[in-house]
Amino acid sequence: MRRPLLFGSFCLVALIALIYCRGPAETVAGPPDGTQLIVTGQVCDKDDNSFEIQILEILSDAAFTQQDNSNDSKQNKLIISCDTQELFIGAEVTIRGDFYHFSPATNPGEFDYAKYYHSMGYLGRIYDAEVLALSGDIGLREYLYRLRMMWKARLYEVFPEKEASVMAAILLGEKQDVDEEIRGLYERNGIVHILSISGLHITIIGMGLYKLLRKLGVPVWAAAIGGAVILILYGIMTGFGVSVCRAVGMYLLRMLGVLWGRTYDMLTALGFVGALMAVIHPAWLGHMGYLLSFGSVLGLGLLLPALVKSKEEHEIPKLQKFVESRMLRVVQKIGHFVAGLLREGLLAGVSITMTTLPIQLWFSYEISIYSVFLNALILPLMSAVMIVGLVVMIVPGTGIAGTVDVIILTGYEGLCHVFENLPEAIWNPGRPTVWQLVVYYLLWAIVVWGIPWLRGVYKRAGGSLRISKRRVVQKRLVAQKGVNAQNGECRQKRVVKQGWFVVQMVLLVVAVGILALPKYRGDRVTFLDVGQGDCICIQLSSGEVYLFDCGSSSRKGIGENVLIPFLKYYGISEIDAVFASHGDADHTNGLEKLIQLSSKMHVEVGQLVLPYMSTDTLQEEFDGLVEVAEVANVPVRSIAAGEIWNCGEDSFVCLHPAVEDLFEGNAGSECFYVMLRENGQILSLLLTGDVEKQGEEQLTSRLAECGICGVDVLKVGHHGSKYSSSQAFLTQANPRVAIISCGRKNFYGHPHGETLERLEQVGSRILTTTKYGAVTVELGETCELWGWLD
């Protein structure tokens, strides 16, 4: 077996994944949120406004002598928010402050801070911290931190602020200061990886130093050790991220091979380092950085050679009579060199993208279609960016050289804007299912191992015999007709190789098509957890998508942090209509952000639908939302009671407000009755916004007039306020399931006990977003209901 160590590493990683990666992160024990703690620990990192400590002891403020042993050894770090001027890395510090856990994801697509930080070994965060005691001596890590800050200041002296933030991220790992516009631009175009410390840094620094020392006559062992020491110090200084651990580990194995006189194999080293990292820290197997870092190198080590062997072109003898001019020969060589670089860059980009595509879709839900071509253009210049940046950062008086990096980074920005504005720049199929991942990588394996094996069988069984016979004939032709026969033989080989290449590309296209298949065939209704607010998304099997409200008064950035990731998660790139029940911010601020970012995020909004009311009232309640819609060229219209529309077998009825109603505020909220039908299953919904008092009385009357005397799912009005959901209304609606959207520990005390009692009296099953997170109802072969936190 070739590469037995690689195979064994794969098996070990797979075994660890089965044991430790069985879904969402488990709940981590710790004190309740808001508990005041006294903590003793060792400072292990810091920035301007916070620092990190390795926990030594945790005490509650109420009992100074009683240690809290609820913490387990896997999460043994804390992030402390306070002034860090007097602190230094390595110091032993005692602090007092309010403890809070990291927020878990409560909606599809939402970033799971709890899972991410727990996988990195963090228990939680302490705010408003006060330093009670500080001791210890300054050590190596503090000196490296100060060196990093000195070099960072140097970059900001040489470069303009925007470019300086990018160079600080590229060279020092200072990604938190990157200009938000640039970061978003790079993310949307699939080149945000250039802001991370990666294998390119290790190659330039480690191998560059090793080769320099060897040229200066330094012995092999000394040059290898010198390069390794510098790389380890660089890794410590930049935080030793996942990709840095991988790259440094592979470099150390390479140097060991040099010292012991052994041949270095990139894939074997990759497998060994990957397995070692998984054994030390199993949670990394669910970390996007780990999977992308190792997946990219696997693509270069496995898929790229398989494609190159099929695509490789044999040299055609040059006809000197056509290339008599020396200048023409020079131009020809330059052309071949540039074409070769582009071809290699594209094949390398295709190999990396095809290997990591499911990983990117699993975590990001979308990918830039043109990122392969953009990376082929920018990556060849990244070495120059890094080398010039290192020189400018380290060597005084070389600031003028930074102009080169400014020009290149400006070019990157311009290319991103060009590619971003190309048609269909973003492909958003949503998060793939497990079976799609399995089928995709089976096809990928056929391309990597199956096609080369079949090509070998073809050569041994018949292809080689036919080619051998042709060679005999062609040798005779060579003697008679010269180079033309050689060209014919080369063409024959190219046709065969290109045929295999086409088969491989077809298989890769089929694999991508597998990821594009719909994840669910049926109707889906999601009541998102937006805190103190409302947001309901209805996806129909016929393709239509409707959004009812989106806003929050308790969670910031609800549009960009909850709604848009939710849409990306399910592959929604077009919303047929957005409904705003009334003008309160907890129902509209997310809609404003969605419409504002719709073009940039490649989400098309068909129309904005507002409740029917007088022009003055409409202008007063929805002024900001209407203005944003007009700027984004989103049509705006009103809807009144009695309007009905159908989507296949599904129907929607507006019940409130009517044209003759003169309600304002909550009482004038849009209310809809929705009937979904799929495979003989029927699901009825009643969406009530914040309707209350007189408005709810009118809604109750219209329910009776329409003969609606029971619904399957009720979105409880006004977040469960006692001023909504009267006994008369609930008796008429008679909901089987009542869903309440409200914020945790909200100021208003929602849901009120009176409302819960009335719901229980009519026999409703009550689900709150505070307990279940986003609540989803799917109507397909069966009707299923679950909460995201179940």
Side-chain angles (χ1 to χ4, degrees), residues 219-435:
V220 172
W221 66 269
I225 294 175
V229 169
I230 294 298
L231 276 184
I232 292 173
L233 292 176
Y234 179 73
I236 294 173
M237 183 179 70
T238 57
F240 251 124
V242 173
S243 58
V244 176
C245 290
R246 190 266 307 162
V248 171
M250 293 179 67
Y251 173 84
L252 294 178
L253 289 177
R254 184 169 187 169
M255 291 300 100
L256 285 175
V258 170
L259 293 176
W260 290 348
R262 298 295 183 92
T263 301
Y264 173 76
D265 181 69
M266 181 186 73
L267 290 174
T268 300
L270 180 74
F272 179 81
V273 173
L276 181 62
M277 290 175 63
V279 169
I280 295 174
H281 200 59
W284 269 342
L285 292 176
H287 195 284
M288 181 180 181
Y290 177 94
L291 297 173
L292 287 180
S293 181
F294 283 89
S296 298
V297 181
L298 272 179
L300 293 174
L302 291 176
L303 184 56
L304 179 60
L307 296 179
V308 169
K309 286 180 182 178
S310 296
K311 189 73 175 74
E312 181 182 353
E313 295 186 4
H314 296 267
E315 183 181 358
I316 301 176
K318 297 178 181 178
L319 305 179
Q320 295 297 333
K321 61 181 180 179
F322 293 113
V323 194
E324 295 177 354
S325 167
R326 179 178 297 178
M327 181 61 69
L328 186 58
R329 288 199 299 272
V330 171
V331 171
Q332 186 187 45
K333 288 181 179 179
I334 294 174
H336 280 309
F337 177 75
V338 173
L341 281 180
L342 290 175
R343 182 172 63 249
E344 291 175 5
L346 283 174
L347 284 177
V350 168
S351 300
I352 293 173
T353 301
M354 289 297 101
T355 304
T356 62
L357 177 59
I359 301 171
Q360 294 183 63
L361 293 181
W362 181 265
F363 289 98
S364 302
Y365 324 128
E366 64 181 7
I367 188 172
S368 170
I369 292 177
Y370 304 111
S371 61
V372 172
F373 306 101
L374 184 56
N375 277 286
L377 294 175
I378 68 168
L379 289 181
L381 295 176
M382 277 305 297
S383 297
V385 171
M386 280 195 57
I387 292 172
V388 171
L390 288 170
V391 170
V392 168
M393 183 176 70
I394 297 173
V395 182
T398 57
I400 189 65
T403 307
V404 175
D405 281 353
V406 173
I407 293 172
I408 294 175
L409 293 177
T410 303
Y412 285 179
E413 187 176 350
L415 283 173
C416 285
H417 284 299
V418 170
F419 278 86
E420 186 177 34
N421 291 320
L422 292 175
E424 305 297 332
I426 299 294
W427 181 48
N428 173 221
R431 171 176 276 193
T433 58
V434 174
W435 77 263

Side-chain angles (χ1 to χ4, degrees), residues 392-694:
V392 168
M393 183 176 70
I394 297 173
V395 182
T398 57
I400 189 65
T403 307
V404 175
D405 281 353
V406 173
I407 293 172
I408 294 175
L409 293 177
T410 303
Y412 285 179
E413 187 176 350
L415 283 173
C416 285
H417 284 299
V418 170
F419 278 86
E420 186 177 34
N421 291 320
L422 292 175
E424 305 297 332
I426 299 294
W427 181 48
N428 173 221
R431 171 176 276 193
T433 58
V434 174
W435 77 263
Q436 288 174 308
L437 297 179
V438 172
V439 173
Y440 181 95
Y441 280 115
L442 283 176
L443 293 173
W444 182 90
I446 292 173
V447 172
V448 171
W449 292 295
I451 296 300
W453 178 78
L454 287 175
R455 189 168 59 235
V457 171
Y458 168 79
K459 285 184 177 181
R460 291 191 297 271
S464 59
L465 178 62
R466 290 195 294 271
I467 291 176
S468 297
K469 291 180 179 179
R470 291 191 184 98
R471 282 176 181 164
V472 174
V473 177
Q474 287 169 350
K475 284 181 180 179
R476 295 172 183 170
L477 292 174
V478 168
Q480 301 172 5
K481 299 183 180 180
V483 296
N484 288 336
Q486 295 183 32
N487 291 342
E489 180 182 355
C490 291
R491 280 194 296 271
Q492 170 67 22
K493 292 180 179 179
R494 287 201 306 276
V495 167
V496 174
K497 287 183 174 290
Q498 289 174 354
W500 290 113
F501 178 77
V502 169
V503 172
Q504 288 175 312
M505 296 308 294
V506 168
L507 286 174
L508 290 177
V509 170
V510 171
V512 173
I514 294 294
L515 297 178
L517 293 175
K519 312 303 183 292
Y520 178 76
R521 299 181 182 277
D523 297 332
R524 179 189 290 117
V525 183
T526 306
F527 300 83
L528 279 74
D529 175 19
V530 292
Q532 189 66 15
D534 269 357
C535 185
I536 304 104
C537 181
I538 298 181
Q539 302 165 254
L540 303 180
S541 58
S542 53
E544 290 85 358
V545 177
Y546 297 105
L547 186 66
F548 296 85
D549 287 337
C550 183
S552 178
S553 59
S554 63
R555 298 183 64 176
K556 296 180 179 179
I558 204 70
E560 56 267 50
N561 297 329
V562 173
L563 176 57
I564 292 177
F566 165 81
L567 298 175
K568 300 292 186 183
Y569 181 92
Y570 283 122
I572 298 172
S573 57
E574 183 177 350
I575 301 176
D576 293 85
V578 168
F579 298 84
S581 64
H582 61 295
D584 287 354
D586 62 341
H587 291 252
T588 61
N589 55 23
L591 298 181
E592 285 189 22
K593 185 59 68 171
L594 169 67
I595 296 172
Q596 186 179 4
L597 297 178
S598 59
S599 177
K600 185 179 292 186
M601 293 298 169
H602 301 274
V603 177
E604 182 180 346
V605 178
Q607 58 180 322
L608 172 63
V609 184
L610 306 177
Y612 185 88
M613 57 183 62
S614 68
T615 304
D616 293 340
T617 305
L618 190 70
Q619 187 69 24
E620 181 180 348
E621 280 205 31
F622 296 98
D623 183 38
L625 183 59
V626 171
E627 183 179 350
V628 169
E630 290 175 348
V631 171
N633 295 319
V634 175
V636 180
R637 61 177 291 257
S638 296
I639 191 170
E643 186 166 339
I644 301 173
W645 73 97
N646 298 311
C647 302
E649 296 182 348
D650 304 321
S651 61
F652 296 76
V653 181
C654 180
L655 295 175
H656 184 77
V659 174
E660 63 272 13
D661 293 337
L662 298 176
F663 299 121
E664 297 181 5
N666 292 344
S669 293
E670 289 176 337
C671 298
F672 295 92
Y673 177 74
V674 182
M675 182 72 75
L676 304 179
R677 298 176 177 86
E678 188 73 26
N679 296 321
Q681 301 286 330
I682 298 177
L683 177 69
S684 58
L685 308 167
L686 185 56
L687 310 179
T688 59
D690 276 359
V691 70
E692 60 183 7
K693 299 179 180 178
Q694 298 94 334

